[in-house]
Amino acid sequence: MTGPVTPVWRPFHDEPLFVPELLHGPDTVPDRLRTTIVDYLTQVAEIRTAPLHTCTAFNALHFGFDLDRHGYRAEVLEPELFLHISGERPDRPVLPVGAFAHIDRGGRRSLLAEVVARYGADPAVDDDGWTPPALSGAPPGDPDSAGARIGQERIVLDVEAFGAPLTAAEYTELHRLRRRATLLDHRGHLTGPVRYPPGPAARDDIALYTAYLLGPARPLLLGGPLGGLLTDPGDTAVLAAAVHQSMATIDALLDTAPGLLRWHGYTTSQDRFDRRRHDGWPGLAPTAIDEIVRTLSRTGPQPRHTGVWPLLAAHANSRAAGDDDPLDLCAAADVVLHTNLAAAATAAGAPDGLLPGGIHLRVDDTWQAAGIWRAQREPIPAVVLATDPRIPLGLGHQPDTPTEPPLTDEPVPTAEPAAAPDPAPGIPPAADDTTVGPDADRTPELVVVRDSLVVYTAALRESHWDDGTLPLPEPAAAVLADGPILLQLHHDGDILDDTEHLQTVVHTGVALAGITWPWSFYPGIKITVAVARNARRISATTRLLDQPLPFGEQYRWDADLGILAAAIGAETPPPPAGPGGLPDEPLPDGIPERRRGVPALRGLIIAALRRHGATGAFGARRLTGPQLLAALFGPDLTAPPLMWEVIYTCDRLVEAGRLTREENTADPDRPGSGGPDTYVWWPDTSGRRPPGRAGQVAAAAVLAGQIREHWVPPFRRLLPAGHQASDGARQAYAAWIVEVRGSDADTELPAGYTFVRGMLRGAPDPDDPLPQHRPAPQPREGPVPAVRARHPG
């Protein structure tokens, strides 16, 4: 006996599926609702030619992708609000994935489309896929004379996003655009120079699309259900938090959906992947993908970086005459996704991380050239080998990571405490730490001073923020390596962009210079810094408080209250109550002094696990002791005594309940196979919060009391054939559309729809208990013209 089949949600027939639970985070979504959302998005992913992205999944839920129609409804979305694309400008602003576009060739000749994929197309990538190492993981584009960054991109558009198949007029317009190659190339892609916005988010489509929705597309956003779920959608901070939270929830639902495969924002179904791997595409046999993966695995004396797009283009260009182009239109995004998934499966399935011939394959850049893969022969650094090969590290671009020229991997001891060596001579035990309190001038506070390790805390002043500097006490400056230093900045409770998280800085003897401080840093915020002797990487972190400081919600990190109060012109309040942070739990009896670890490293270790740890079930993050040492101080540092201090500190965190430890026992059939123990950080005590979603804490605080619970937002519902909306529904719609889109909005309710007012879930409309439509009068002359005809394309 089979269970009942859950009907798939139908936009404009059923109540909106964009519900308040999406604004509370993935853990609050009930199982039944989760199943409904995932089933619908899985169906969308199945019927669309292009893969589903987090941004297009947001569009499907919010704007309503009609499975029967195979597209969105232009008459409801108002194409006048879309991004207009024409050939007037030599370079365009970035078009993030998810953006609706109006491709205009002049007059009434136009096409509507949705951006479904975006890749870098730097001309430095050779036709055979070879990529200059410095390009892999690099910020997109090069600065022009005005300081803006401009680079080449390939934008994949779905011109059938508003109904498939295309009409004859739409097909003719598409053919003309491709033939003339003024806007679209011969494959129907939008290629050419792009002007990137200032800031670090040029590669992040979710961040770019969110900014677009909150900016130019705000009327389009408010015309959907999200605005109706908020008590004050006009509050910019509340609306921004709602978009961020709903994006994060949808992303997490896709991550955990059974039967879906993900590749850095893009999604396809397992069934579709299996079919493609067996049958291939028109014009591209499945064996071609295998050949491309083998090409990606090629290397030489030096690590080789290879781009995916040139290899796919070479196969497509060599197809037999008359065969379809597998990279035509949005099918290109499908082929790219499946190729990267096939390469990822090969890399992740390699025994001990090595392919035949001792080659390590990993993705190094997921955006440039549709994906850049890095192949390298042994020896492989332990931290690189142990990091999931599906996580891009940008090793080619990082000048301070010793990956080019050849890498060496110094042997490290196994992390079994019973076999730990004593600290080397000259390194005093933990009891001999030198601790110096802050003086009246608030100089950096030294917490730990040892031969191989210095830890200090500094409060950021306004001058430090403006000048991009961080105070550097003399003991820390004395152990630093010469030359550029990589500052690894963790902002507890928030996620920094990669360009903020890792910064190349220089030291002047009294300060680190060249730092770009994130905007969420404020005067007085305390930063704990760990410096290891001869290391080229410095780890620094802030500490998130249990409660915000008395000055306001935005001051959520530990700070020098005197500096902060002086900067904002406030009176100095009493210190906040509560312990805040990790207390020094009493250690069990019998632990030798040398194995008590370094308490000052605790926050840095947890921050390193959260940022660099391999992701596991329920958001757990895992790293071994050697990997943690590399994450804190760089992979080139060989310091076994310091590594043991890290391991002992992890052991104390295990005893305090902040981490768990997984023993890596040896395989009896493989001598020497026992490796370092793995330390695991869990997001919370239940182990259920998704990874990398710390920003949801701030969003939840902003949204508190701002969401209409159990509320069905206003929406337009399709009417049965032969019916039309009542006068009351038309008047209600006119008032609502002016409210959300402004006085210039078209107040005419689209033909064939009625308007349903917002209401409590399960309650009838209090203003009109009867259905808001009536049989339509028969037209006097011919049929009513379709609304679609008013918007060419």
Side-chain angles (χ1 to χ4, degrees):
M1 180 177 179
T2 60
V5 177
T6 304
V8 178
W9 177 70
R10 301 176 305 161
F12 308 106
H13 291 82
D14 304 325
E15 291 182 353
L17 196 52
F18 205 96
V19 290
E21 288 83 353
L22 294 179
L23 307 184
H24 290 293
D27 291 343
T28 67
V29 179
D31 290 343
R32 186 172 181 178
L33 177 61
R34 180 187 297 263
T35 299
T36 301
I37 292 174
V38 168
D39 285 350
Y40 168 68
L41 292 178
T42 301
Q43 289 294 319
V44 174
E46 276 289 332
I47 71 169
R48 298 195 69 171
T49 304
L52 195 65
H53 188 276
T54 302
C55 298
T56 55
F58 175 94
N59 286 350
L61 287 172
H62 189 262
F63 299 117
F65 188 92
D66 194 321
L67 295 172
D68 295 329
R69 184 178 176 143
H70 285 213
Y72 303 98
R73 294 179 175 268
E75 66 271 22
V76 172
L77 288 177
E78 295 294 339
E80 291 79 5
L81 300 174
F82 294 2
L83 286 169
H84 280 254
I85 301 173
S86 65
E88 296 175 357
R89 294 183 54 180
D91 57 82
R92 303 177 307 274
V94 173
L95 297 179
V97 174
F100 293 133
H102 196 154
I103 308 170
D104 188 2
R105 194 168 56 88
R108 296 178 59 83
R109 297 165 297 188
S110 61
L111 279 175
L112 303 182
E114 182 185 27
V115 178
V116 292
R118 183 175 72 101
Y119 313 118
D122 196 290
V125 180
D126 282 357
D127 291 342
D128 65 353
W130 181 87
T131 304
L135 185 62
S136 181
D142 297 310
D144 63 3
S145 57
R149 299 190 72 90
I150 296 179
Q152 298 286 327
E153 280 195 356
R154 177 177 301 275
I155 307 295
V156 180
L157 303 166
D158 185 1
V159 294
E160 294 185 328
F162 292 87
L166 297 178
T167 65
E170 292 167 340
Y171 183 82
T172 300
E173 179 62 19
L174 175 62
H175 178 70
R176 286 173 178 166
L177 287 168
R178 296 171 65 173
R179 185 185 61 200
R180 296 187 179 189
T182 54
L183 280 177
L184 305 181
D185 67 8
H186 70 283
R187 288 193 163 105
H189 302 156
L190 191 63
T191 57
V194 169
R195 183 178 296 270
Y196 295 103
R203 286 168 167 261
D204 188 343
D205 279 294
I206 294 179
L208 289 170
Y209 187 50
T210 298
Y212 169 70
L213 288 175
L214 296 171
R218 185 168 179 152
L220 190 65
L221 177 69
L222 293 178
L226 177 58
L229 295 176
L230 302 174
T231 57
D232 183 10
D235 188 317
T236 300
V238 170
L239 184 62
V243 175
H244 283 286
Q245 189 78 305
S246 57
M247 283 281 190
T249 301
I250 293 169
D251 195 54
L253 294 179
L254 291 172
D255 274 340
T256 58
L260 291 182
L261 299 177
R262 303 216 70 197
W263 180 251
H264 300 279
Y266 296 94
T267 307
T268 191
S269 69
Q270 179 71 59
D271 291 342
R272 185 169 181 166
F273 178 74
D274 293 340
R275 290 196 307 269
R276 291 302 193 191
R277 292 291 289 147
H278 182 268
D279 301 330
W281 292 261
L284 189 70
T287 54
I289 302 299
D290 297 330
E291 183 179 339
I292 288 173
V293 174
R294 287 193 294 270
T295 303
L296 295 174
S297 305
R298 291 183 307 176
T299 187
Q302 306 294 333
R304 178 185 171 93
H305 296 77
T306 308
V308 168
W309 181 263
L311 302 180
L312 287 171
H315 277 274
N317 293 337
S318 63
R319 69 189 187 278
D323 285 351
D324 293 336
D325 187 346
L327 302 182
D328 192 55
L329 299 172
C330 61
D334 191 52
V335 179
V336 165
L337 172 61
H338 285 74
T339 303
N340 280 302
L341 285 173
T346 299
D352 299 323
L354 298 176
L355 300 174
I359 295 174
H360 178 65
L361 177 67
R362 67 175 310 106
V363 68
D364 203 49
D365 186 324
T366 59
W367 175 79
Q368 186 64 255
I372 297 175
W373 288 80
R374 181 182 186 274
Q376 178 189 2
R377 294 189 185 278
E378 292 186 285
I380 314 295
V383 68
V384 174
L385 188 62
T387 304
D388 191 325
R390 296 164 292 192
I391 298 175
L393 299 179
L395 298 174
H397 178 69
Q398 294 182 20
D400 297 303
T401 301
T403 55
E404 270 94 34
L407 293 165
T408 58
D409 186 19
E410 296 292 335
V412 293
T414 58
E416 186 175 350
D422 291 336
I427 300 181
D432 294 335
D433 289 355
T434 302
T435 304
V436 182
D439 59 22
D441 194 32
R442 292 186 173 91
T443 57
E445 176 184 354
L446 293 168
V447 181
V448 176
V449 178
R450 299 188 179 178
D451 180 72
S452 61
L453 178 68
V454 175
V455 181
Y456 69 94
T457 299
L460 202 63
R461 292 180 173 274
E462 283 188 282
S463 58
H464 300 147
W465 202 96
D466 293 336
D467 298 338
T469 59
L470 175 67
L472 186 67
E474 183 178 350
V479 301
L480 272 177
D482 295 331
I485 299 295
L486 197 65
L487 175 65
Q488 183 170 249
L489 187 61
H490 301 274
H491 199 23
D492 190 19
D494 237 350
I495 300 175
L496 299 179
D497 185 87
D498 288 343
T499 58
E500 296 174 323
H501 166 63
L502 286 174
Q503 302 186 38
T504 301
V505 300
V506 296
H507 60 97
T508 62
V510 296
L512 296 172
I515 303 171
T516 301
W517 292 111
W519 284 102
S520 53
F521 280 44
Y522 43 78
I525 192 169
K526 290 183 178 180
I527 303 170
T528 300
V529 186
V531 183
R533 178 172 294 279
N534 296 326
R536 292 191 175 277
R537 180 176 299 189
I538 294 176
S539 287
T541 188
T542 59
R543 182 167 67 88
L544 186 68
L545 299 174
D546 296 331
Q547 298 293 331
L549 294 173
F551 300 113
E553 288 291 327
Q554 68 269 37
Y555 303 110
R556 297 183 291 120
W557 290 274
D558 190 18
D560 184 308
L561 297 182
I563 295 177
L564 178 56
I568 63 177
E571 294 184 1
T572 305
L582 182 67
D584 288 329
E585 296 87 353
L587 297 177
D589 296 334
I591 296 180
E593 198 69 38
R594 64 183 177 83
R595 294 190 178 181
R596 295 184 172 234
V598 183
L601 290 179
R602 290 177 172 183
L604 290 165
I605 286 171
I606 291 176
L609 277 163
R610 292 169 61 180
R611 180 81 189 196
H612 300 289
T615 305
F618 305 123
R621 299 298 179 101
R622 291 171 166 79
L623 287 175
T624 65
Q627 292 168 0
L628 275 167
L629 179 70
L632 290 170
F633 305 113
D636 55 337
L637 182 66
T638 303
L642 181 57
M643 188 194 70
W644 283 110
E645 295 286 13
V646 171
I647 290 174
Y648 295 146
T649 307
C650 289
D651 288 340
R652 305 293 79 79
L653 287 167
V654 171
E655 291 163 359
R658 297 297 299 271
L659 302 179
T660 59
R661 181 174 53 231
E662 298 174 350
E663 295 185 3
N664 191 348
T665 56
D667 184 344
D669 298 327
R670 297 176 60 197
S673 60
D677 291 346
T678 300
Y679 295 96
V680 187
W681 173 81
W682 300 90
D684 54 28
T685 54
S686 66
R688 298 287 299 185
R689 194 172 61 204
R693 322 237 178 234
Q696 291 186 23
V697 176
V702 175
L703 289 172
Q706 300 288 339
I707 303 172
R708 298 177 185 268
E709 304 294 345
H710 312 295
W711 185 255
V712 179
F715 68 101
R716 283 148 293 200
R717 171 174 279 160
L718 275 168
L719 292 172
H723 287 69
Q724 66 179 13
S726 68
D727 292 339
R730 295 177 187 275
Q731 294 169 3
Y733 174 79
W736 172 76
I737 203 67
V738 167
E739 180 181 357
V740 299
R741 289 186 178 168
S743 57
D744 294 334
D746 183 0
T747 59
E748 181 182 354
L749 184 62
Y753 295 84
T754 187
F755 179 69
V756 181
R757 300 173 175 87
M759 67 190 79
L760 285 174
R761 191 174 296 166
D765 188 331
D767 298 328
D768 188 358
L770 298 176
Q772 291 187 307
H773 55 84
R774 59 176 182 267
Q778 294 299 318
R780 295 181 179 178
E781 296 181 6
V784 176
V787 177
R788 183 178 172 85
R790 296 184 303 169
H791 306 289

